[in-house]
Amino acid sequence: MKTNSKYIFITGGVVSSLGKGIASASIGRLLIARSYRVTCMKLDPYINVDPGTMSPFQHGEVYVTDDGAETDLDLGHYERFIHTSMGRRNNATTGQIYYSVITRERRGDYLGKTVQVIPHITDEIKRRILAVGEGEEKFDVVLIEVGGTVGDIESQPFLEAIRQFGLEKPREDVMYIHLTLVPFIKSSGEIKTKPTQHSVMKLREIGLQPDMLLCRTENTLSKEARDKIALFCSLRPEMVISARDVESIYEVPVLYEEDGVGDKIVSRLGLKAKEPDLTGWVNFVRKVKEPSAYIRIAICGKYTNLHDSYKSIVESFVHAGVENDARVELKWLNADKMNEENIDQHLRDVSGLLIPGGFGERGIEGKIAAIQFAREKGLPFLGICLGLQCAVIEFSRNVCDMPEANSTEFNPSTPDPVIDLMETQVKVVQKGGTMRLGQYRCDIKAGTHMAAAYKTLTISERHRHRYEFNNSYRDSLESSGLQISGVNPETNLVEAVELVDHPWFVGVQFHPELKSRVLSAHPLFRDFVKACLNFKNERQQLQGEELDEDR
Ligand code: GLN
């Protein structure tokens, strides 16, 4: 087990949703700022093989990687913060771990033995961690986030595996960081350290002693509070960090750096101390917090009451906002509640419309009504995956005189299946991991909004869908003004469409939001926000008054 990589394990306690993903990604950023090569990994305790088969209401967004893995949304945070592409091996679930062990057992690899959690499951967990740290690509540091909360039954094998891992490596190659909550109790006006003490006690019961505590708090912890936590949790006081609440997640690395987290980690791991460069990042955060303009964009989908379902889209708008020196406020519209009669009320106070990806029939007619409004009123539009498919249906119905045009996903017997199941999908019966997934090439047509945005004519983007633009309708739609601006060179699948007579109306079959990064906004989001700002300015000039988007 000899390796040069260092490993940092991040666990969470007290309550869930404390932001372990952001904490891991932020630590990654501090190490990148010191020119270390970093990657991240997420261990997920659920039994699903991947989140691809879970409802977005259960799990939030499914983050698709270049190599076509359907992974946890925290991998999106990692990519956005550390700018390193993740892949299949950067996410391991209980389902995958058991699946490999059971497959091996059936093959006879353990003949004669009883297969058990310790050592077989824990060995498989350790093997997967090492595969990231000792793979072909060399990393100085691998950050491993353990999903769930300490004390959960289902995360026990992972905690046991990382305990063993620490024993099998030199001490200075492995570090444990624990994220907890230090709540403020309003009625007594004090913060409480007991939940953190108990959470660390739980860890120590199973043989894990954290090297650093990140304590989520409303306000910076006093010296007394830090000393007390340190004493009870057996740490040095400087290793107790106040991870106080911040306005933007992008402030977290800056906050950690102010508390010396970067230097403390580097020193604990025996790495060479280096001066961090966070200049670009700090400027980015300033622009997030002090924009020159405001803009409101509608996002119309099915899961709008759970914003985590659209995590990467939300973050893409932050990145694109910064590049346009504007803050994007999202107006969340439930497609279920929208129709031709009320669409004007819903969209009259926005400067752009985004229809995100999705599955199933619910809300489709509302989305189509919204797209018709955007097309007719010159409202900038970005359609992603299902958004492109709905735009094609709307155009076929209302411009090309095919009133019953539809996707066979919503109406299998439509006379005009303008969106249809991909040929490769027809015989597929298994649900897990069988969509068109991951990175595919797309050739862009010169002179289009796509070409203007990307500034190149060959790109590759990530996909997650089963249905596609039906090429038998291509000529008739194109001759009516729907331009095909992107095509896959190998399969001839349509990857992007846009309107010729419209200020900015683009639909893409892929998911651009998965490749937007801090300090490197996705070109389509950047140009979409720019078009929305132009729309707003023109409307303002026409109306000669302040719009209520300006606050
Ligand atoms: N339901 C559509 C399909 O499977 C769109 C998928 C998506 O938006 N990701 O093709």
Side-chain angles (χ1 to χ4, degrees):
M1 270 217 210
K2 199 99 195 94
T3 170
N4 297 323
S5 298
K6 308 277 183 180
Y7 297 84
I8 304 178
F9 292 100
I10 294 137
T11 54
V14 182
V15 291
S16 59
S17 304
L18 283 179
K20 269 194 311 267
I22 301 290
S24 310
S26 299
I27 292 169
R29 171 47 56 178
L30 297 187
L31 294 165
I32 297 268
R34 287 167 169 80
S35 307
Y36 284 112
R37 295 164 303 177
V38 180
T39 192
C40 295
M41 180 182 196
K42 173 93 193 268
L43 301 174
D44 274 311
Y46 51 73
I47 296 171
N48 302 60
V49 169
D50 59 44
T53 51
M54 283 187 230
S55 151
F57 287 119
Q58 288 270 318
H59 183 271
E61 171 184 273
V62 172
Y63 191 78
V64 179
T65 53
D66 282 344
D67 62 2
E70 295 177 282
T71 71
D72 187 77
L73 56 75
D74 278 322
L75 272 78
H77 293 309
Y78 308 158
E79 287 203 359
R80 288 187 282 273
F81 276 61
I82 70 170
H83 297 195
T84 301
S85 282
M86 301 287 134
R88 198 169 293 282
R89 60 190 189 146
N90 297 81
N91 193 188
T93 65
T94 296
Q96 286 165 21
I97 309 274
Y98 274 79
Y99 201 86
S100 358
V101 171
I102 293 171
T103 308
R104 262 183 254 140
E105 187 275 336
R106 291 289 82 185
R107 209 167 53 200
D109 291 11
Y110 308 108
L111 276 186
K113 299 209 181 73
T114 307
V115 182
Q116 295 178 299
V117 172
I118 305 170
H120 302 100
I121 295 297
T122 46
D123 279 353
E124 176 61 17
I125 296 171
K126 289 186 285 178
R127 191 189 66 74
R128 284 176 183 245
I129 296 169
L130 282 175
V132 175
E134 295 179 354
E136 265 165 39
E137 221 180 322
K138 282 281 156 257
F139 295 105
D140 301 307
V141 184
V142 183
L143 285 141
I144 301 111
E145 178 191 344
V146 184
T149 309
V150 167
D152 294 349
I153 292 177
E154 54 183 16
S155 50
Q156 294 266 350
F158 289 109
L159 296 174
E160 168 58 17
I162 69 171
R163 181 192 70 81
Q164 295 173 12
F165 194 94
L167 289 178
E168 290 161 13
K169 292 269 171 207
R171 205 181 120 63
E172 62 171 19
D173 283 359
V174 179
M175 177 173 186
Y176 299 99
I177 298 182
H178 189 52
L179 181 68
T180 73
L181 176 72
V182 178
F184 175 74
I185 307 295
K186 255 204 202 118
S187 54
S188 60
E190 341 167 81
I191 55 140
K192 289 291 173 194
T193 63
K194 194 80 80 194
T196 295
Q197 295 176 37
H198 279 247
S199 183
V200 173
M201 233 185 267
K202 261 269 136 313
L203 272 180
R204 293 169 73 191
E205 260 171 34
I206 51 174
L208 281 169
Q209 167 63 47
D211 298 291
M212 177 183 271
L213 288 182
L214 299 172
C215 303
R216 287 292 309 272
T217 63
E218 272 178 48
N219 296 302
T220 308
L221 290 177
S222 65
K223 183 176 177 313
E224 292 73 48
R226 283 164 67 147
D227 287 350
K228 183 174 175 190
I229 294 171
L231 181 67
F232 280 90
C233 299
S234 198
L235 282 103
R236 290 217 301 270
E238 69 269 20
M239 295 306 244
V240 179
I241 311 294
S242 302
R244 74 174 152 76
D245 294 349
V246 278
E247 217 179 287
S248 155
I249 53 168
Y250 299 108
E251 279 178 79
V252 176
V254 183
L255 182 82
Y256 285 0
E257 186 58 36
E258 281 167 13
D259 225 339
V261 171
D263 286 344
K264 290 171 193 173
I265 290 176
V266 163
S267 140
R268 166 65 184 76
L269 291 173
L271 289 165
K272 213 169 111 223
K274 288 183 193 172
E275 203 49 47
D277 180 6
L278 279 168
T279 330
W281 195 276
V282 169
N283 282 337
F284 175 86
V285 173
R286 192 176 39 77
K287 287 193 183 160
V288 170
K289 294 174 80 173
E290 296 163 16
S292 305
Y294 287 88
I295 188 140
R296 190 180 297 136
I297 295 177
I299 171 164
C300 170
K302 204 163 71 169
Y303 318 108
T304 42
N305 47 1
L306 183 72
H307 298 181
D308 264 5
S309 307
Y310 303 109
K311 193 84 215 160
S312 294
I313 291 180
V314 174
E315 300 311 325
S316 299
F317 275 123
V318 178
H319 311 157
V322 164
E323 288 200 22
N324 285 285
D325 203 6
R327 177 174 300 164
V328 179
E329 181 204 320
L330 293 175
K331 179 174 181 181
W332 297 89
L333 294 176
N334 184 344
D336 258 352
K337 307 232 154 52
M338 289 162 57
N339 52 48
E340 269 177 58
E341 275 72 56
N342 64 21
I343 200 68
D344 178 65
Q345 279 166 23
H346 287 298
L347 294 179
R348 59 155 51 118
D349 61 350
V350 300
S351 298
L353 168 69
L354 181 133
I355 306 273
F359 296 83
E361 198 191 349
R362 192 155 63 77
I364 292 299
E365 295 305 320
K367 290 177 193 175
I368 290 174
I371 294 170
Q372 180 175 6
F373 180 95
R375 181 176 55 77
E376 290 174 352
K377 306 278 189 223
L379 181 70
F381 167 77
L382 177 58
I384 296 178
C385 205
L386 180 68
L388 166 141
Q389 299 177 353
C390 288
V392 171
I393 298 170
E394 191 282 322
F395 192 83
S396 311
R397 286 186 190 174
N398 300 324
V399 180
C400 302
D401 209 17
M402 295 184 255
E404 290 179 67
N406 216 329
S407 161
T408 47
E409 180 177 5
F410 318 128
N411 178 8
S413 53
T414 169
D416 289 303
V418 289
I419 304 293
D420 202 1
L421 202 58
M422 272 178 275
E423 225 175 281
T424 46
Q425 286 287 332
V426 178
K427 292 201 183 78
V428 172
V429 282
Q430 291 256 88
K431 285 278 180 262
T434 54
M435 286 189 241
R436 181 180 185 222
L437 289 167
Q439 183 147 280
Y440 286 93
R441 254 183 68 194
C442 167
D443 285 352
I444 297 177
K445 186 169 180 180
T448 57
H449 289 306
M450 285 279 289
Y454 283 96
K455 299 187 175 67
T456 168
L457 296 183
T458 45
I459 56 160
S460 59
E461 289 280 7
R462 300 181 192 171
H463 293 249
R464 183 172 187 251
H465 60 111
R466 292 188 202 279
Y467 293 80
E468 57 155 328
F469 182 105
N470 183 344
N471 270 332
S472 23
Y473 289 89
R474 192 156 156 177
D475 291 344
S476 63
L477 267 67
E478 255 193 308
S479 59
S480 303
L482 188 79
Q483 196 173 27
I484 307 300
S485 52
V487 172
N488 178 283
E490 285 106 33
T491 54
N492 207 25
L493 290 181
V494 169
E495 308 286 28
V497 301
E498 42 192 88
L499 284 182
V500 183
D501 289 324
H502 191 287
W504 210 91
F505 186 108
V506 177
V508 288
Q509 188 57 76
F510 49 80
H511 289 271
E513 73 274 21
L514 301 176
K515 284 174 78 167
S516 184
R517 309 269 181 270
V518 171
L519 295 167
S520 165
H522 192 283
L524 281 179
F525 275 88
R526 184 200 61 217
D527 280 16
F528 175 49
V529 170
K530 192 157 134 215
C532 297
L533 282 163
N534 289 342
F535 179 89
K536 181 184 165 188
N537 290 338
E538 275 166 29
R539 192 169 54 169
Q540 215 156 16
Q541 274 165 16
L542 271 173
Q543 295 179 353
E545 59 186 57
E546 280 268 288
L547 296 173
D548 74 339
E549 274 173 79
D550 294 303
R551 291 160 309 147

